[in-house]
Amino acid sequence: MNPDLVKRIGEVVAKEVLSTGIPWTFAPTIAVPQNDLWGRTYEGYSEDPELVSELGKSMILGLQGEGAEFLDNNHVLATAKHFLGDGGTEFGIDQGNTILEEENLKNIHGKPYFAAINSCIQTVMASFNSWNGQKAHGSEYLLKSVLRDQMGFEGLVVGDWNGHGQVPGCTKENCPESFNAGVDIFMAPDEWKPLYKNTLRQVKQGVISEERLNEAVKNILAVKYLLGMFNGRKPHEYPHNYIGISEHREVARQAVRESIVLLKNNNNVLPIKANKHILVIGEAANKITKHMGGWTITWQGRENANDDFPNTLSIYEAIKSKAEANGSTVEFSNNSSFKNKPDLVIFVYGEDPYAEGDGDRNTLFYQNHDRNFKKYMKNIYDQEISTVSLFISGRPLIVNEELNLSDAFVQLWLPGSAIEGMTDVIFTNAENQIIYDFKGKLSYSWPKTASQFVLNFGDKNYNPLFEYKYGLSYKDNIFIDSIDIEIDNKNTASIIETIKNISGTFGGINLEDIAAPDCFIIEQKLKEVLDIPVFHDDQHGTAIITTAALINALDISKKNISN
C-alpha cells in the first residue's frame, strides 16, 4: 500500500479535471465495502476502515492540496462519499438498507470520515442507502447531529443523483424533508426547475425556515470563498491542458505495477523470460473496455469501442509489444488451438464492466460468458504447458477451478489505460533480469466458498482462501496445492434473489442466518409455492418473515462447515 502514490494520483487527477474547466470532483469514495456481492465494491479502497481512512486522506490531500497550496489554482474540491454506510447494506444491495448498531456504523463506515474531515474535506455527499430503515438523504440525525455536531464538518453537503426523491413522501420535484435534514445542494439532473420553484414556495410558506435556507447558503458560499471564486478565479479559463500527458501516464503505469496482486506462482512460471513462444487465449485480451471498468466514458462502460481510448493498448497489444521487445513471439487464440506449440499460455478473462446496482450479484462464482473457457484451460493443462491467468474483476470472486488450472494467477483488478504497468511486472527484460517485482497486496479478503460474500478481516470465523494483505513477490517460494472445488449451485443464487424480494428490513431475515459459514447452507431447490407466514409493517411498508418460517419453506438442512 502506497499512500504517497495515492496522493500523487490525486494531484494528477486535479490537474486533469481542471483542464476541462471544472474545479470540483465527486471523489474519493471512502465506502468500506463489507459484502462483495455489492456492485460498487471496486469503488472502495478496502474492507478495512483503517486502510480506507489512510488512502482516502491521501487522495483528498492530493486533490485539494495542503498548506499554502490548499485549493490553489492547480487543485480542486474533493468530495467524501457516500455518507453513511453505503458499503454495509444487507445482501450487498446497492442503495439498500444498512442494519447496524450505531457504534458499529461509527467504527466501520464512519471512521474514514474522521480522517477526511481532518484533511479539510469541504464537501460530503449524502448516500442513497438507508440506515436501519431511514434514508440518509432524509436523516437529520446523520447529516446534522452526527456529521456536523459530533464530527465537526463545516463544509457543504451535496445530495446524490435525485437521491432526495427516494425519501418517503418526496419526489424528484419536491422534497423539503431532505433540505431540512441537512442537504445543502440537491443533485437534480432533470427536474431542477420544478424543484427550485417548490423549494422557494416552501420557504415562503415556512415549511423550510429562513434560518435553514441561510445556513445552506452560508455553507455553499464559504466553500466557494475557499475555492477562490470571490477573488477572481475562473476555472473555465484554466490555461493548461494536462489531459493524458506523459508524466501523468507514468503515474498511472506505476499505479498498475503496484496494485496488481500475484496470488499464485507455482514453479516460478513468472516472470516470463525472453525468447519464448507465447499463446494468449481469451477475447478479453482484445477488449479495452474489460480492463477499464464502469464509469468510463459511459455510465456502465460496456458500450465503448477500442477506438474510444486513444493511446491505450489492449492487454494483448501490451503483451505482444513487451514480448517481441524481448525476442519472443506471440500468438492469439479464442480457444485452445494454436499454430505453433507455445512455451507458455496466458489466459485473459474476467468480469464485464458495470456500475452501481447493475453490478450487484447473487453469487460470488465467477461466470465466464464463454462457457467453454474452462475446457480450453483444461486442454492446455493436460498438455503440461505452463499457464498464467490474468484475471480482471472489481472484487474477489470464486475462481478455484481456474486457480487449479493455472501455474500462476495474477489479480489485475481494473487497471485502466496504463496496462503496460502489468507487462512491466510479469516479464523480465531481454537479458532475463527482473526490473519490477510484485508489490500489490489484497485489500479485500479472498473467499474460499460462495457463502463467504461477507468476509472481512477480523471476523470471528475468518477463514478466507487468501487473507487480507496477502500477495506474493518473486522472492517467495510458495507452492499452492490443488484447491477444493465447490459446485456452482445456481439454485442457491435464485433462492437468495427470492429472499431479497420477499424479506423486509425490520425484523426480516438476515442472509447470514442461512448461508454463512458455521450456520446453514441451502441444499434444496426453492419450493414452487412458499407457505410462509408474512406480516406487513404498515409504518415502514415492508414485508416481514421469520427465519424459522423461511427455513421450513426452503427445506433447509443445518450443516456445519469445517474450517
Side-chain angles (χ1 to χ4, degrees), residues 164 169-180 186 194-213:
H164 56 278
C170 289
T171 64
K172 292 189 295 184
E173 302 88 1
N174 188 350
C175 194
E177 292 89 344
S178 188
F179 194 81
N180 284 333
F186 292 119
L195 180 61
Y196 164 74
K197 292 178 180 178
N198 285 328
T199 302
L200 181 62
R201 175 176 52 80
Q202 287 151 4
V203 173
K204 292 179 178 179
Q205 293 175 345
V207 177
I208 297 172
S209 69
E210 285 192 28
E211 180 183 9
R212 169 65 192 121
L213 178 62

Side-chain angles (χ1 to χ4, degrees), residues 35 152 163 186 194-195 247 288 308 313 335 367 446 448 451 488 538 557:
N35 187 321
F186 292 119
L195 180 61
E247 180 185 347
I288 294 176
D308 293 322
L313 301 179
N335 48 50
Q367 297 168 332
W446 200 280
K448 183 181 296 185
S451 60
D488 183 359
D538 292 325
S557 65

Side-chain angles (χ1 to χ4, degrees), residues 346-559:
I346 300 176
F347 296 106
V348 184
Y349 53 101
E351 291 187 296
D352 285 332
Y354 52 80
E356 297 191 86
D358 193 69
D360 288 356
R361 296 288 180 262
N362 292 324
T363 177
L364 285 183
F365 278 105
Y366 167 63
Q367 297 168 332
N368 198 317
H369 291 305
D370 185 347
R371 296 184 179 182
N372 293 315
F373 201 83
K374 277 187 279 192
K375 292 181 181 178
Y376 310 149
M377 297 184 75
K378 182 68 164 56
N379 188 22
I380 297 295
Y381 179 85
D382 288 344
Q383 297 179 64
E384 298 184 348
I385 301 171
S386 297
T387 57
V388 177
S389 275
L390 302 180
F391 188 58
I392 307 161
S393 74
R395 61 189 132 199
L397 292 170
I398 302 295
V399 285
N400 295 8
E401 286 189 79
E402 290 86 349
L403 278 159
N404 286 343
L405 294 171
S406 307
D407 293 302
F409 194 101
V410 181
Q411 171 63 12
L412 296 185
W413 305 113
L414 300 170
S417 58
I419 194 64
E420 299 94 326
M422 175 269 297
T423 54
D424 287 343
V425 179
I426 69 169
F427 283 88
T428 65
N429 64 8
E431 288 74 42
N432 290 331
Q433 297 169 324
I434 296 172
I435 305 302
Y436 295 103
D437 200 347
F438 280 89
K439 290 185 176 182
K441 306 295 179 184
L442 292 178
S443 60
Y444 292 92
S445 304
W446 200 280
K448 183 181 296 185
T449 66
S451 60
Q452 293 178 310
F453 43 80
V454 178
L455 176 68
N456 301 296
F457 177 73
D459 287 350
K460 183 178 180 181
N461 297 312
Y462 185 68
N463 185 28
L465 181 60
F466 301 115
E467 293 187 351
Y468 169 65
K469 290 190 177 180
Y470 170 90
L472 301 175
S473 73
Y474 292 138
K475 299 179 181 67
D476 295 310
N477 187 21
I478 296 174
F479 188 92
I480 296 178
D481 291 321
S482 180
I483 300 166
D484 289 342
I485 302 300
E486 179 184 9
I487 297 174
D488 183 359
N489 186 349
K490 294 179 175 57
N491 294 323
T492 300
S494 67
I495 291 171
I496 291 173
E497 180 62 27
T498 302
I499 294 169
K500 287 181 183 179
N501 292 335
I502 66 176
S503 69
T505 56
F506 285 83
I509 182 72
N510 184 337
L511 195 58
E512 292 182 19
D513 291 341
I514 60 170
D518 301 314
C519 289
F520 300 98
I521 287 188
I522 300 170
E523 290 184 338
Q524 298 188 19
K525 291 183 180 180
L526 179 63
K527 289 185 176 178
E528 190 170 334
V529 178
L530 290 176
D531 182 18
I532 302 178
V534 178
F535 308 95
H536 192 76
D537 182 346
D538 292 325
Q539 180 181 356
H540 301 101
T542 58
I544 298 175
I545 58 177
T546 66
T547 304
L550 185 65
I551 290 172
N552 288 334
L554 298 180
D555 199 14
I556 299 169
S557 65
K558 211 172 183 182
K559 179 179 178 183

